[in-house]
C-alpha cells in the first residue's frame, strides 16, 4: 500500500534555506515535513572550511553546520524524510508530490528549497582537488588565498565578477577562457580589462589541475590551446571554476514560471511563486548572491510567507 504523508507545510530541500524554513514552520506549529532530496544538507555538506557564516569566531566545517541545523529543525518539531521527488501536481490544494519509491506527500503549502549546483569541467583532477585549491565560489573561498596566485576559468558574467572580486585578496589573478572573446556584459569587461592585477589567457582550456605539496593542494594547471593544440602550464594556488550553475527545477517545468536560466521566478521582495501557496527560497531562486546566510534568510521569508498564506486561507474558510 502506498504511504501518504500530509502536512500544513511541505518543504523540498534540506540546505540552509530548507532547514531554516523548517525551523520557522515548526515553531509556528505547522509540523513541517522536509523531503531532503539526493543531497541531504545541500552544497555545504561538500564544503570543508566555512568562515563567513555568522555566529562562529573560528572556522567551522560545512557538514557539521548542516547537521546542527537539521538537529535544530527536528528538535522544534520538523520531520525529515529521505526521498527524491519525481512528480508534482500543483494544480490544486493540497499540493501532491510523489517520491521515486511511490510515496505521496501532500502539503497545504509548499516551500521549494532544492538549490542549484555549480557546473564543473568534468575532470578527474578537479574532483580530487575540490576543497584543496579548486573551488566554484570565489566569494566563499577567496579569503583563503590572500596574497596568493589565483586563476578563474570561464567567460561569462560570473567568471568576470569573480575575477574582479578576487583582486580584493590577490594581486595576481588570471582569467582563463577557451575562446577569444568574453560573453560577459560590456561594463564588466571594461572593468576587467582596466584592472592592473588581472590578466587574461585566451583560447585556453584546462587539461588538468595539478596537485602537490604536503598536505596536497593545487600548485598549477595544465592548459591546451584551443586553436593550435599547444600545451602549457601555469602555476596557481587557487583555481575557481566559474562556468555557471544549474538550478534543481526540472521537476517543476510546466508547473511554475521559471526564468530564462531555469530559476524559479518569485515576486520582488517575497518568496511567492506563480502558484499561490507555493514559495521558493535559497539558490533555486537566487542566482546573484548564492551564500549560505542569504539562503537561510530567504528560508525564513518563505516560512513566514507560507504561514501568512495559511492564516488568510483559514480566515476565508471561517467566513464561508
Amino acid at each position: 500500500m502506498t504511504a501518504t504523508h500530509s502536512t500544513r507545510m511541505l518543504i523540498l530541500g534540506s540546505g540552509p534555506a530548507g532547514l531554516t524554513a523548517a525551523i520557522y514552520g515548526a515553531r509556528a506549529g505547522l509540523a513541517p515535513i522536509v523531503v531532503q532530496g539526493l543531497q541531504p544538507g545541500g552544497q555545504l555538506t561538500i564544503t570543508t572550511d566555512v568562515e563567513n557564516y555568522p555566529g562562529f569566531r573560528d572556522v567551522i566545517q560545512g557538514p557539521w553546520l548542516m547537521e546542527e541545523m537539521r538537529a535544530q529543525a527536528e528538535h522544534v518539531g520538523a520531520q525529515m524524510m529521505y526521498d527524491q521527488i519525481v512528480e508534482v501536481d500543483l494544480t490544486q490544494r493540497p499540493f501532491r508530490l510523489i517520491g521515486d519509491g511511490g510515496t505521496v506527500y501532500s502539503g497545504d503549502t509548499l516551500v521549494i528549497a532544492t538549490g542549484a549546483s555549480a557546473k564543473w569541467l568534468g575532470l578527474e583532477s578537479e574532483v580530487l582537488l575540490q576543497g584543496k585549491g579548486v573551488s566554484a565560489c570565489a566569494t566563499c573561498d577567496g579569503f583563503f588565498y590572500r596574497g596568493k596566485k589565483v586563476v578563474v576559468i570561464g567567460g561569462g558574467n560570473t567568471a568576470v565578477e569573480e575575477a574582479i572580486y578576487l583582486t580584493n585578496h590577490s594581486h595576481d589573478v588570471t582569467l582563463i577562457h577557451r575562446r577569444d572573446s568574453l560573453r560577459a556584459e560590456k561594463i564588466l569587461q571594461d572593468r576587467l580589462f582596466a584592472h592592473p592585477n588581472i590578466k587574461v589567457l585566451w583560447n585556453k582550456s584546462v587539461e588538468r589541475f595539478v596537485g602537490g605539496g604536503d598536505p596536497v593542494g593545487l600548485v598549477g594547471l595544465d592548459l591546451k590551446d584551443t586553436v593550435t593544440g599547444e600545451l602549457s602550464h601555469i602555476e596557481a594556488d587557487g583555481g575557481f571554476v566559474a562556468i555557471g550553475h544549474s538550478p534543481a527545477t526540472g521537476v517543476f517545468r510546466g508547473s511554475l514560471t521559471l526564468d530564462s536560466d531555469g530559476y524559479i521566478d518569485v515576486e520582488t521582495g517575497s518568496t511567492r511563486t506563480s502558484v499561490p501557496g507555493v514559495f521558493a527560497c535559497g539558490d533555486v531562486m537566487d542566482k546573484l548572491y548564492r551564500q549560505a546566510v542569504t539562503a537561510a534568510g530567504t528560508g525564513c521569508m518563505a516560512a513566514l510567507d507560507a504561514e501568512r498564506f495559511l492564516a488568510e486561507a483559514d480566515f476565508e474558510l471561517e467566513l464561508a
Side-chain angles (χ1 to χ4, degrees):
M1 184 176 179
T2 301
T4 300
H5 302 277
S6 299
T7 177
R8 297 279 274 163
M9 180 186 290
L10 181 61
I11 301 170
L12 300 190
S14 54
L19 292 179
T20 302
I23 292 167
Y24 275 79
R27 286 174 54 82
L30 300 177
I33 292 175
V34 180
V35 182
Q36 300 191 76
L38 287 175
Q39 188 177 10
Q43 292 291 304
L44 276 183
T45 60
I46 57 173
T47 303
T48 51
D49 293 347
V50 176
E51 200 170 38
N52 56 2
Y53 197 86
F56 304 95
R57 72 174 73 185
D58 297 319
V59 175
I60 58 174
Q61 299 299 300
W64 176 85
L65 176 61
M66 297 319 302
E67 175 61 25
E68 290 296 300
M69 292 181 72
R70 183 194 62 78
Q72 182 181 5
E74 289 183 311
H75 177 73
V76 293
Q79 181 181 0
M80 302 291 157
M81 304 295 293
Y82 293 93
D83 207 343
Q84 174 71 12
I85 298 300
V86 296
E87 184 179 338
V88 303
D89 180 1
L90 307 183
T91 59
Q92 59 184 349
R93 292 182 53 238
F95 306 115
R96 189 170 183 269
L97 294 82
I98 302 176
D100 59 6
T103 302
V104 176
Y105 301 90
S106 175
D108 292 332
T109 57
L110 173 63
V111 174
I112 302 171
T114 47
S117 57
K119 296 179 181 178
W120 296 92
L121 300 175
L123 302 173
E124 181 180 351
S125 58
E126 179 182 55
V127 176
L128 293 174
L129 289 171
Q130 281 181 27
K132 301 175 183 177
V134 176
S135 170
C137 182
T139 311
C140 309
D141 299 328
F143 183 77
F144 297 113
Y145 299 94
R146 289 165 292 175
K148 297 184 178 181
K149 180 179 176 63
V150 297
V151 300
V152 178
I153 300 100
N157 285 351
T158 299
V160 173
E161 288 170 348
E162 296 216 335
I164 294 170
Y165 170 80
L166 285 166
T167 60
N168 293 318
H169 306 294
S170 170
H171 295 292
D172 192 342
V173 179
T174 301
L175 181 70
I176 299 172
H177 187 42
R178 60 182 297 112
R179 298 181 178 85
D180 60 1
S181 61
L182 300 175
R183 303 185 309 278
E185 297 171 1
K186 185 178 184 302
I187 189 170
L188 289 175
Q189 293 192 43
D190 290 344
R191 290 176 59 198
L192 179 91
F193 297 140
H195 204 292
N197 297 330
I198 302 175
K199 55 181 174 289
V200 181
L201 292 181
W202 302 106
N203 299 318
K204 297 289 189 295
S205 63
V206 179
E207 292 287 290
R208 184 169 70 102
F209 291 94
V210 181
D214 185 17
V216 174
L218 183 72
V219 296
L221 295 84
D222 290 337
L223 307 177
K224 182 178 181 179
D225 192 290
T226 57
V227 176
T228 67
E230 179 183 359
L231 300 177
S232 60
H233 178 83
I234 181 174
E235 295 181 354
D237 302 295
F240 294 87
V241 180
I243 57 176
H245 288 73
S246 298
T249 54
V251 74
F252 299 107
R253 292 187 181 279
S255 299
L256 289 173
T257 300
L258 309 179
D259 71 9
S260 58
D261 296 315
Y263 291 81
I264 296 176
D265 263 334
V266 296
E267 293 180 22
T268 302
S270 84
T271 62
R272 292 186 292 270
T273 72
S274 57
V275 174
V278 178
F279 308 89
C281 54
D283 289 4
V284 76
M285 48 73 78
D286 169 26
K287 57 184 176 184
L288 178 61
Y289 298 104
R290 294 195 298 265
Q291 300 297 302
V293 67
T294 53
T298 58
C300 166
M301 292 169 58
L304 295 177
D305 285 343
E307 182 185 356
R308 293 189 184 107
F309 176 86
L310 288 170
E312 291 170 4
D314 291 343
F315 182 69
E316 290 172 1
L317 284 175
E318 290 175 2
L319 293 179

